[in-house]
Each structure stands twice: as structure tokens, then as C-alpha cells.
Amino acid sequence: MNLHSTILGQGQTFVFLHGFLGMSDNWKTLGTQFSEEGYEVHLIDQRNHGRSFHSDEFNYEVMVEDLKRYCDEHNLHDIVLLGHSMGGKTAMLFAVEYPELVSKLIIADISPRYYPTHHDDILNGLSALDFEKLKSRGAADKELKRYVSDSGTRQFLLKNLYWKEKGKLALRINLEVLKEQVNEVGEPLPMHAKFEKETLFLRGDRSEYISFQDESLIHSHFPKAEIVTISNAGHWLHAENPTDFYSEVKDFLGS
């Protein structure tokens, strides 16, 4: 079972992992920018997301093994690895388990700690979409609005919509499994896990995902971590302030 990816540019390998209910397309703009800076960018769809395969198994261990298999298939090593949210947790665990493959690690708006489940409204809203009745993106947005008031979040979620056949919409995500196993998304990094190479943690100034209390935990797992706050940004910091996000990552890679 292979992960679906979009590969851009040539040069040092730079792998991007999206967050929960996201997909590789979320990173296309930034990925293109880095491909123009001399990186071979791999935008990956994790299992049960985007165009990658669906599976009943869903946890960080299997997602790490998916990525290892992907690296083996594409003969990737010395990679820069960036993960956002759920993708950040996958990236942390991958770097801990396969440090020889990772040259630098970048984690966007997630800490190594445990997070309680907080996606109920979103998952219930997506489950309520009845594609026998809904015949347009606008109608799906209207239905989803009953559960998710924030329009930015809805637009992000509705990227998962596609035309399965003429006149018939569907979701790319494996909603049933993600709903059933949503607890896995909040799982912490194992207690004694450590990655000794350069790491950058980026957090949004309007996001609560990385608190000041998290800083000592981050340093205990990632002794060489640098923690940088991106202004005017919440959890989707790369979309809300792409300019600062790009320049912080670029500075880190150049250092």
C-alpha cells in the first residue's frame, strides 16, 4: 500500500505531512516556493486522507511505517521533515525512530503531549452530509455550517469533497475510521523518545496548541529545539500567515 504524493522540484529532499482531515494540497503553495529554492518537495497524503489508501488501522506507529516505506521506495535519506498538527506528531515519532534519515525537523503548532479529543462537532458535521441529497459544494457548506460556524474551518474541510461520478459528491477521507479512532490523534510522544538534531517548533500566537508550559516538555524530547511564534496566526499558521511561516522555515534551513 503506497502513499499518494505530489513531488516538486529537485535538490535536497523536503517532506511535508498535513494535519488531521487535511491533505497534501493544503501545502501546495509553500511546497512550490521551496521547490523553487532548490528542494525536492514531497507533499504526502497520510493514510485515510487525500488520495492515499483507506485502512481500518490508524495510529502514529502505522503512519510512521507508511512514511518509512515511502522513503525506502523513493530512496530518500537526509530529509528535511515538516509536519503540521497530526502530521507533526507523525514527524516527531518518525524522527525519533529513524534519526539517521532526518537531517532537520520542523513541527507546526503541535506539542509532544497528550491532547483530549476535540473534533466532535467537525466529525458530526461531516457525518451529517448526505450526498444523496446534496448536489453542490454550496449546499454542503450550508449543511456543515449547522455544526461548524467558522467559515475558514469549513473551507478547509470542504477541500475533502470531490465528484465521485457525474452529479455525485463524496469525501476523500475515510470518515468512518477517523471518527472511530479519533482518540489516536491526541496520543503523546512516548515518554523517553528523544531526537538530538536541530528542530524548529512553530506556533501561532492565536493558537492554544503549544502553551508556555509545553516548552520544557519540548526541550526534554528535542534538546536542540527552537520555538518560534508566528504572529497573526491560529492553528493553520501556514495558511493564515504564509509569509512569516515561509521566512522562519527558510532561516532555520539556512542556519
Side-chain angles (χ1 to χ4, degrees):
M1 301 266 237
N2 301 339
L3 294 175
H4 175 270
S5 69
T6 302
I7 302 171
L8 310 163
Q10 288 176 314
Q12 189 187 2
T13 308
F14 195 163
V15 174
F16 288 71
L17 299 175
H18 62 80
F20 187 57
L21 305 175
M23 60 174 79
S24 57
D25 283 10
N26 303 149
W27 290 89
K28 208 151 195 184
T29 307
L30 275 160
T32 302
Q33 279 182 286
F34 281 106
S35 74
E36 288 160 0
E37 288 287 337
Y39 289 92
E40 181 181 280
V41 169
H42 292 248
L43 305 175
I44 287 178
D45 283 334
Q46 298 193 79
R47 66 166 61 202
N48 294 324
H49 289 77
R51 291 176 171 82
S52 279
F53 61 90
H54 287 188
S55 164
D56 290 343
E57 247 191 308
F58 181 71
N59 57 57
Y60 289 117
E61 285 72 23
V62 295
M63 287 194 274
V64 163
E65 290 317 305
D66 291 343
L67 182 55
K68 173 66 166 70
R69 201 159 43 246
Y70 181 89
C71 290
D72 291 346
E73 276 158 15
H74 294 266
N75 195 23
L76 306 182
H77 42 82
D78 190 35
I79 68 175
V80 175
L81 180 57
L82 182 153
H84 171 241
S85 201
M86 176 190 85
K89 287 271 184 92
T90 308
M92 288 182 218
L93 189 59
F94 183 87
V96 164
E97 293 194 358
Y98 300 105
E100 70 284 359
L101 294 179
V102 180
S103 63
K104 284 190 171 186
L105 180 65
I106 301 154
I107 305 298
D109 213 51
I110 199 83
S111 145
R113 69 175 153 94
Y114 167 76
Y115 289 80
T117 307
H118 54 281
H119 298 93
D120 293 355
D121 290 348
I122 285 175
L123 291 168
N124 291 336
L126 290 171
S127 301
L129 299 177
D130 179 355
F131 296 118
E132 295 303 322
K133 293 179 185 156
L134 299 172
K135 297 300 176 195
S136 70
R137 287 174 178 273
D141 183 41
K142 202 171 165 187
E143 177 64 22
L144 197 53
K145 194 176 182 176
R146 293 175 40 215
Y147 297 83
V148 182
S149 57
D150 180 64
S151 76
T153 305
R154 287 200 311 281
Q155 293 323 301
F156 164 77
L157 295 168
L158 291 169
K159 283 194 163 127
N160 286 294
L161 280 186
Y162 75 110
W163 294 102
K164 193 177 179 179
E165 53 196 63
K166 195 170 161 55
K168 180 90 193 244
L169 283 164
L171 289 168
R172 288 202 188 278
I173 46 169
N174 187 352
L175 184 58
E176 210 175 308
V177 167
L178 296 180
K179 213 176 156 178
E180 215 172 83
Q181 305 195 38
V182 65
N183 293 350
E184 294 291 343
V185 180
E187 283 300 295
L189 199 60
M191 209 191 309
H192 302 297
K194 226 181 189 124
F195 178 69
E196 305 274 1
K197 296 182 191 176
E198 280 180 79
T199 305
L200 174 66
F201 277 77
L202 294 166
R203 63 174 163 212
D205 65 343
R206 294 199 302 261
S207 169
E208 292 168 4
Y209 274 76
I210 298 181
S211 68
F212 290 103
Q213 289 87 335
D214 288 329
E215 292 186 11
S216 58
L217 178 69
I218 287 170
H219 289 299
S220 73
H221 288 293
F222 303 94
K224 289 193 177 153
E226 187 186 336
I227 303 165
V228 172
T229 303
I230 302 284
S231 60
N232 304 316
H235 186 51
W236 284 284
L237 58 181
H238 54 291
E240 293 169 54
N241 189 345
T243 308
D244 288 1
F245 189 94
Y246 175 73
S247 69
E248 289 294 351
V249 172
K250 205 177 154 203
D251 289 352
F252 172 69
L253 295 177
S255 65

